[in-house]
Amino acid sequence: MTRRLLVTAALPYANGPIHIGHLVEYLQTDIWVRFQKLRGNRCLYICADDTHGTAIMIRARGEGRSEIELIEETSEAHQRDFAGFGIEFDHYGSTNSEENRTLCHQIWQSLRDANLVVQRSVEQLYDPEAETFLADRFVRGTCPKCGTPDQAGDNCNCGHTYSPTELIDPVSTLSGATPVIKEAEHLFVELEKLHDFLSEWVSNSGALQPETANYLKGHFLAEELRDWDISRPAPYFGFEIPDAPGNYWYVWFDAPIGYIASTQQWCNANGEDLADWWKSDDCEVHHFIGKDITYFHTLFWPGMLKTAGFSLPTKVHIHGFLNVNGKKMSKSDGTFVKAETFLKHIDPSALRYFYATKLSSRVEDLDLGVEEFVEKVNSDLVGKVVNLASRVGKFASRTGLAPSYPDDGGLFQAAAAKGDEIAAAYEEGEFSKAMRLIMELADAANPFVEHAKPWEMNKDPERQDELRDVCTVALNLFRQLAVYLAPVLPELANKCGDLLGEPITSWEQSQTPLVDRGVNKFQRMMDRVKTEDLEAMMEESKDEAAQETDAAATNPFNDSDQPLKDEPLADEITIDDFMKVDLRVARVLSAEHVPEANKLLKLTLGLGGDETRQVFAGIKAAYDPEKLVGRLVVMVANLKPRKMRFGLSEGMVTAAGPGGEEVFVLGIDDGALPGQRVH
RNA sequence: GGGGCUGUAGCUCAGUUGGUUAGAGCUGGGAACUCAUAAUUCCUAGGUCGCGGGUUCAAGUCCUGCCAGCCCUACCA
């Protein structure tokens, strides 16, 4: 029975080029879609550029042009890159389209009608790091009544209740940042009102991998769902909220709606009805995404769809990240490879196949080992699969295929019988299993040719019929492999079709051998991947990264806007406020690891003379304790001591950066003395 | 600290509801062949199935404890 499937891959952000990390997802999706089409299902592969948000706005301004110009250029580049890897969308749109605007309005109205939107302009603690308002339970601090530290946002063990804004020394439990009191008009979606529905959907719909369902149940659904801050004040590149002038939808509102809008555009162009794809029980909706955006696609998005009466995802396929040689992609290592750069050096089929051998239905990171890549592609594809055709190609173009399929010892039948199992593996997203099964077939096929010795037949005019039979078997076994591999290697399927004069269009072609026809002149189907090519590719990637760094260095005004975006400026203070903070130069007298803490170092800081302070600092990932000893740092010296699980912390070392390994402790120029105050 | 996943030959991985001498591919060693992109074929080497307990007639497979790695989450005053 023919199924109808609407498939999406996440919308790439229109702020940068596609790289090999992105390609995991678009290739995984492309393979799955091609498989569905090969099986005869009606399947649409929908994607679009995600074009809104502050980053696009800032970048366009920096480049002195309009956002529209920027996103159009990026869209072209993205589509060119995808096409280069054989990724075939049925439609590639943009979130900055009239169709999307209309759908946003429509879905917004549904949220309004369902009474899920609230406007708040309360004084509330706001976490500048996490960029979110903090509900009571996400703030802890010292009780204003009894002085007990580390109490909940709304009440203390002493029985006193209060508002979180009354807390002394409040801390965000989300980021650890000090919350600021902020007044703003924001619109919120009260997701909690959909809690029952979401719990039910997460647990029972079958749309999520078990590990994802568990994650959501444990982290979000176990407690009250936070309101979703869905508006951003001007200036913002996006869609203005119709009933809240001066406010724009947060990019994560209109981005997933882009899936529907892009489908709408396809429908318009093809005379189809959107409802058949997004509001029909007969149509499956499949999202492929990375693990980083799980939250948006499994809570907010189903909530929006449900409320607006669209189909819920049949399945959300979540994949992990790409590592290269066991490490995160890195610009300085040359492993941060752009799609465009890859294509200059290596056949995209190689990457398609390699990813296929690595992908499963689970949320696991996958590793591209350079050695493994070369070995696997060469030995599997060139040595086994292509070789099968190559070794009889020359003979076959002379003999053609036999009138009826000869005895092959049951090889073709056995491989045909494997079809269902291979198909099931594709269907479940277990591509690595599918590839393994297919290679088993290839391993069985080559010995047939070996033992038949067609080269001997070739020399004997009496044995030309035998030779033709061997060619018929070898080429049919090859074609069978080409059909099974067609979702992964469409180019190979095309070349096989050309060779035998019948294009590969259906999975069913793997079940019946081709006979009684000519064979075209054999043409080389795939080249071996050379380690030198990979090395050259990574060299070039390294150079590109270096050039970007140079460009940034020669242009001091080209600093990224990311840090400010991550942590917006705090509210204005007076000089008196500033003077309350006593910053002092201090020398690191000792530094040691705290065994139980993952991120903390225990420091003893000297302020001159015998004056010392013990301070815990979250810089373990970035600094070696030994190398800190003797250094001068700047500390907050009059901070109220704070009892931590590991001991008392009597101050704070100043540092910048987002955290982890990216932490940079403030130093001071030579000449400063421990104990001196920073004014 | 909490949650999850993984740990099987040098490498990448299979091992179905527990059942005879634990498998494949690649790599290594030896040989054959020459149709093929130094491809292929045959033979061969190589594993206390992370470690320790337990259940069982029988455990890589189930239970439990520990160890290691990865991911998520928290601490980062």
Side-chain angles (χ1 to χ4, degrees):
Chain A
M1 147 134 183
T2 304
R3 290 153 67 194
R4 232 152 20 97
L5 306 101
L6 187 129
V7 183
T8 72
L11 312 187
Y13 200 51
N15 189 31
I18 300 301
H19 56 69
I20 56 175
H22 291 118
L23 287 171
V24 171
E25 175 169 315
Y26 301 95
L27 288 176
Q28 180 187 35
T29 314
D30 188 64
I31 290 167
W32 201 75
V33 166
R34 284 177 183 273
F35 166 73
Q36 297 298 349
K37 290 177 176 172
L38 194 65
R39 292 287 277 179
N41 293 324
R42 185 100 198 279
C43 183
L44 285 189
Y45 187 2
I46 297 292
C47 199
D49 263 13
D50 179 14
T51 58
H52 290 156
T54 319
I56 303 274
M57 183 173 74
I58 303 280
R59 179 165 163 190
R61 282 182 192 172
E63 293 175 2
R65 53 177 170 166
S66 70
E67 289 96 347
I68 302 295
E69 206 179 326
L70 170 64
I71 65 178
E72 280 179 355
E73 184 185 294
T74 309
S75 178
E76 272 176 39
H78 283 180
Q79 293 187 62
R80 193 167 54 236
D81 288 342
F82 288 137
F85 280 86
I87 295 161
E88 226 170 59
F89 300 109
D90 289 280
H91 187 73
Y92 197 90
S94 162
T95 58
N96 196 50
S97 69
E98 279 316 304
E99 289 84 354
N100 201 32
R101 187 193 297 273
T102 304
L103 279 156
C104 286
H105 282 217
Q106 188 186 323
I107 290 173
W108 180 247
Q109 193 55 49
S110 302
L111 294 173
R112 284 281 196 192
D113 293 346
N115 199 25
L116 292 174
V117 180
V118 288
Q119 178 168 333
R120 280 214 291 274
S121 106
V122 287
E123 274 195 351
Q124 201 179 356
L125 290 177
Y126 178 86
D127 183 330
E129 206 164 301
E131 287 190 290
T132 179
F133 284 99
L134 298 164
D136 295 359
R137 66 184 177 285
F138 292 109
V139 185
R140 296 186 77 83
T142 302
C143 171
K145 176 105 173 187
C146 70
T148 309
D150 197 30
Q151 292 303 303
D154 54 354
N155 72 89
C156 170
N157 286 340
C158 73
H160 186 60
T161 58
Y162 41 80
S163 151
T165 53
E166 296 171 48
L167 279 173
I168 301 167
D169 299 334
V171 177
S172 161
T173 62
L174 297 180
S175 68
T178 302
V180 295
I181 294 174
K182 195 167 167 179
E183 186 170 354
E185 292 285 333
H186 275 238
L187 294 164
F188 293 83
V189 174
E190 295 179 302
L191 207 61
E192 179 58 21
K193 288 183 176 170
L194 299 171
H195 198 135
D196 289 345
F197 156 70
L198 289 171
S199 289
E200 163 68 17
W201 184 75
V202 163
S203 301
N204 301 327
S205 67
L208 302 176
Q209 291 127 303
E211 61 262 48
T212 304
N214 285 337
Y215 163 75
L216 295 172
K217 279 187 264 185
H219 283 94
F220 299 103
L221 294 168
E223 50 189 290
E224 201 178 304
L225 292 165
R226 271 182 288 157
D227 292 346
W228 185 29
D229 185 351
I230 203 172
S231 68
R232 293 291 182 274
Y236 195 80
F237 180 57
F239 293 140
E240 192 166 20
I241 302 176
D243 47 20
N247 288 283
Y248 292 74
W249 280 307
Y250 176 45
V251 59
W252 266 110
F253 176 76
D254 69 60
I257 294 174
Y259 295 140
I260 305 179
S262 192
T263 313
Q264 175 75 69
Q265 291 181 330
W266 178 86
C267 288
N268 294 346
N270 291 277
E272 295 253 350
D273 184 356
L274 185 71
D276 289 341
W277 296 93
W278 276 99
K279 291 188 172 181
S280 160
D281 289 341
D282 296 333
C283 182
E284 302 173 27
V285 175
H286 292 264
H287 296 304
F288 285 79
I289 61 167
K291 64 182 180 182
D292 52 327
I293 53 176
T294 296
Y295 184 55
F296 297 103
H297 283 82
T298 55
L299 294 176
F300 299 131
W301 180 231
M304 286 161 67
L305 290 170
K306 170 76 175 171
T307 305
F310 288 91
S311 300
L312 291 162
T314 308
K315 198 153 188 183
V316 184
H317 308 250
I318 306 176
H319 61 81
F321 294 151
L322 176 71
N323 289 324
V324 179
N325 289 328
K327 293 191 297 184
K328 274 187 187 173
M329 292 193 295
S330 135
K331 291 194 173 179
S332 57
D333 289 349
T335 53
F336 197 99
V337 182
K338 293 178 192 167
E340 192 186 352
T341 312
F342 188 100
L343 289 173
K344 282 189 216 164
H345 297 272
I346 298 168
D347 183 350
S349 296
L351 193 69
R352 292 183 67 104
Y353 177 70
F354 185 79
Y355 281 170
T357 67
K358 288 284 177 180
L359 282 164
S360 75
S361 62
R362 303 176 47 180
V363 189
E364 276 174 336
D365 290 353
L366 58 104
D367 187 44
L368 193 167
V370 167
E371 298 272 315
E372 194 191 342
F373 179 89
V374 173
E375 276 172 15
K376 194 157 260 173
V377 170
N378 288 345
S379 93
D380 288 0
L381 294 186
V382 182
K384 292 175 187 171
V385 178
V386 171
N387 186 237
L388 196 57
S390 174
R391 65 193 310 189
V392 298
K394 202 164 54 183
F395 307 143
S397 55
R398 194 178 73 233
T399 65
L401 299 183
S404 65
Y405 190 70
D407 179 18
D408 66 358
L411 281 173
F412 190 92
Q413 256 319 309
K418 281 281 177 192
D420 285 347
E421 195 181 349
I422 296 168
Y426 270 120
E427 175 67 37
E428 289 158 17
E430 296 287 352
F431 297 168
S432 65
K433 182 178 181 187
M435 295 309 105
R436 206 172 57 239
L437 291 169
I438 295 168
M439 283 313 133
E440 281 175 17
L441 303 180
D443 280 331
N446 266 306
F448 173 85
V449 180
E450 191 76 15
H451 299 316
K453 298 185 168 65
W455 53 94
E456 288 179 4
M457 299 169 183
N458 183 47
K459 289 172 190 154
D460 186 346
E462 308 265 302
R463 300 181 69 192
Q464 291 305 297
D465 283 0
E466 281 180 73
L467 177 61
R468 185 196 57 197
D469 285 353
V470 172
C471 292
T472 304
V473 171
L475 288 182
N476 269 295
L477 294 177
F478 167 71
R479 173 167 171 268
Q480 207 168 30
L481 296 174
V483 173
Y484 289 152
L485 286 169
V488 178
L489 302 172
E491 273 307 306
L492 183 69
N494 287 341
K495 285 172 181 165
C496 176
D498 291 345
L499 181 70
L500 299 176
E502 185 180 295
I504 289 174
T505 55
S506 160
W507 187 265
E508 280 307 305
Q509 290 170 292
S510 65
Q511 302 300 301
T512 318
L514 273 185
V515 290
D516 200 19
R517 57 169 62 223
V519 173
N520 289 316
K521 187 165 185 298
F522 180 80
Q523 289 178 351
R524 176 179 274 253
M525 292 183 173
M526 189 177 291
D527 287 308
R528 306 176 75 76
V529 176
K530 296 199 289 287
T531 308
E532 304 92 85
D533 294 339
L534 273 162
E535 282 164 357
M537 174 185 84
M538 301 207 300
E539 250 340 281
E540 185 169 340
S541 298
K542 223 185 271 188
D543 291 348
E544 287 169 358
Q547 276 168 23
E548 283 169 29
T549 312
D550 287 352
T554 54
N555 177 4
F557 305 109
N558 199 27
D559 288 328
S560 163
D561 64 309
Q562 195 62 37
L564 257 189
K565 233 184 69 203
D566 289 344
E567 189 171 357
L569 292 173
D571 293 339
E572 185 177 281
I573 59 168
T574 66
I575 182 74
D576 295 331
D577 290 330
F578 174 67
M579 289 307 289
K580 286 182 189 166
V581 181
D582 192 351
L583 294 171
R584 295 283 171 163
V585 177
R587 190 179 299 282
V588 180
L589 299 178
S590 76
E592 55 191 273
H593 288 291
V594 183
E596 316 91 83
N598 291 338
K599 300 185 183 174
L600 296 178
L601 288 182
K602 180 177 166 184
L603 306 177
T604 307
L605 301 178
L607 292 170
D610 296 334
E611 198 68 32
T612 64
R613 295 280 191 281
Q614 172 177 283
V615 172
F616 290 90
I619 57 175
K620 176 173 177 168
Y623 288 93
D624 223 356
E626 298 92 70
K627 290 182 182 158
L628 281 171
V629 175
R631 264 191 71 158
L632 292 180
V633 298
V634 175
M635 75 171 295
V636 184
N638 64 337
L639 199 58
K640 183 169 179 172
R642 153 89 168 195
K643 191 169 167 297
M644 300 181 67
R645 190 148 50 87
F646 322 106
L648 196 65
S649 191
E650 305 170 308
M652 184 173 169
V653 172
T654 53
E661 292 177 27
E662 305 272 296
V663 172
F664 309 99
V665 169
L666 262 67
I668 193 157
D669 286 347
D670 288 345
L673 297 172
Q676 287 178 338
R677 183 164 185 183
V678 179
H679 296 283

